Amino acid sequence: MSKAADEKPDLRAKGLEDFSAELTHNGHRERLRERFETGGPSALPDYELLEMLLFRAIRRGDTKPLAKALLARFGSFAEVISAAPERLQEVKGVGPKVVSELKLIQAAAQRLTRASVINKPVLSSWNAILDYCRAAMAYDETESFRLLFLDKKNNLIADELQQRGTVDHTPVYTREVIKRALELSATALIMVHNHPSGDPTPSMADIDMTKKIIAAAEKLNILVHDHIIIARRGHVSFRNLQLI
């Protein structure tokens, strides 16, 4: 018997194995979808929810190993979808399609939480404000400074990212903060920035900067309600710490 003839049974067997594996993976995907539809998100642990998100980017095959690898690398579901694209692609199996899907989910989450606070009284929606800020900033790898501008009824009229900095510093210019508040006819504002280190404890530089902005704002009858620091391990409020 020729060598080619010897190879044919092996090829057929390989094809059957691939077909069987594909049926297994498809069955697993359908079972996950059924559990999600029946029990909602709480019926799935993080890795299975992440598996389902990967279905769109990886049309065939088993996404469980990649989901578990991403969680092992970044620590949590939120940290996976918030990770920088270049860091995501350091994980074997993550390509542009996977990054695109994860960033789409992150954008949707931020848009959803933002919708819950815009044009609404901030002081009666404080938990929603914190949820939005955490979704937008908690897992960033560089510091950024955000301003929430309020009208005379304390409705949120604008949410603007003012500056991006380095891993442990972002420049904040008092003049620019006050100028933008006047342009928007804001009567109050809330400052928000993140600490990529994970520790939300304010630094002396944070405290000094806050005092300068409060002093400048008071001269123009603009009230600074709070300065919030967001981090992976929680948040702090300057008002709660009696720093304002």
Side-chain angles (χ1 to χ4, degrees):
M1 187 178 291
S2 69
K3 182 178 180 182
D6 288 339
E7 288 176 348
K8 286 182 179 179
D10 292 335
L11 292 173
R12 285 197 298 269
K14 183 65 167 63
L16 287 173
E17 289 173 4
D18 291 344
F19 180 68
S20 176
E22 190 62 30
L23 287 178
T24 299
H25 296 325
N26 288 342
H28 176 64
R29 291 185 177 207
E30 286 305 313
R31 287 191 294 274
L32 280 184
R33 290 190 180 100
E34 289 173 5
R35 284 172 52 202
F36 179 79
E37 291 169 2
T38 302
S42 61
L44 302 178
D46 282 357
Y47 80 88
E48 289 185 334
L49 192 61
L50 190 53
E51 274 189 77
M52 291 189 68
L53 294 182
L54 295 171
F55 289 171
R56 284 170 52 88
I58 303 173
R59 298 290 185 174
R60 302 176 63 181
D62 187 3
T63 59
K64 183 187 295 185
L66 181 55
K68 288 190 171 183
L70 285 165
L71 288 169
R73 173 66 179 275
F74 296 105
S76 71
F77 182 89
E79 287 173 293
V80 170
I81 66 169
S82 301
E86 58 272 17
R87 290 195 64 210
L88 286 168
Q89 292 189 86
E90 292 172 1
V91 178
K92 185 178 180 180
V94 175
K97 288 185 178 179
V98 169
V99 170
S100 179
E101 290 299 325
L102 294 176
K103 294 295 103 181
L104 178 62
I105 295 301
Q106 182 189 22
Q110 291 178 0
R111 191 73 58 89
L112 182 63
T113 54
R114 186 177 189 275
S116 68
V117 298
I118 197 72
N119 294 322
K120 295 181 181 178
V122 166
L123 300 185
S124 61
S125 308
W126 196 249
N127 287 337
I129 288 287
L130 292 175
D131 288 343
Y132 167 62
C133 292
R134 278 194 291 263
M137 305 173 73
Y139 301 104
D140 283 357
E141 295 179 356
T142 57
E143 275 201 19
S144 56
F145 181 71
R146 182 180 300 271
L147 287 170
L148 307 180
F149 296 98
L150 316 177
D151 64 15
K152 61 183 179 181
K153 294 183 179 179
N154 284 323
N155 290 328
L156 181 63
I157 56 175
D159 156 36
E160 297 184 355
L161 191 63
Q162 294 291 302
Q163 298 286 341
R164 284 194 180 277
T166 63
V167 294
D168 59 3
H169 174 71
T170 186
V172 178
Y173 305 104
T174 301
R175 181 177 177 180
E176 293 301 315
V177 172
I178 302 304
K179 177 184 175 183
R180 188 57 180 149
L182 293 173
E183 289 173 348
L184 293 168
S185 299
T187 58
L189 59 87
I190 297 170
M191 296 180 284
V192 189
H193 84 276
N194 64 310
H195 278 182
S197 67
D199 181 2
T201 304
S203 67
M204 287 306 302
D206 294 333
I207 295 170
D208 290 342
M209 176 266 290
T210 302
K211 289 179 178 178
K212 289 178 182 178
I213 292 177
I214 289 173
E218 282 180 345
K219 294 176 182 178
L220 296 169
N221 294 318
I222 298 171
L223 178 64
V224 177
H225 279 305
D226 208 341
H227 183 175
I228 303 168
I229 301 178
I230 300 290
R232 288 179 177 84
R233 297 198 293 270
H235 72 277
V236 297
S237 157
F238 276 48
R239 186 164 295 279
N240 287 348
L241 292 177
Q242 299 183 339
L243 294 172
I244 291 180

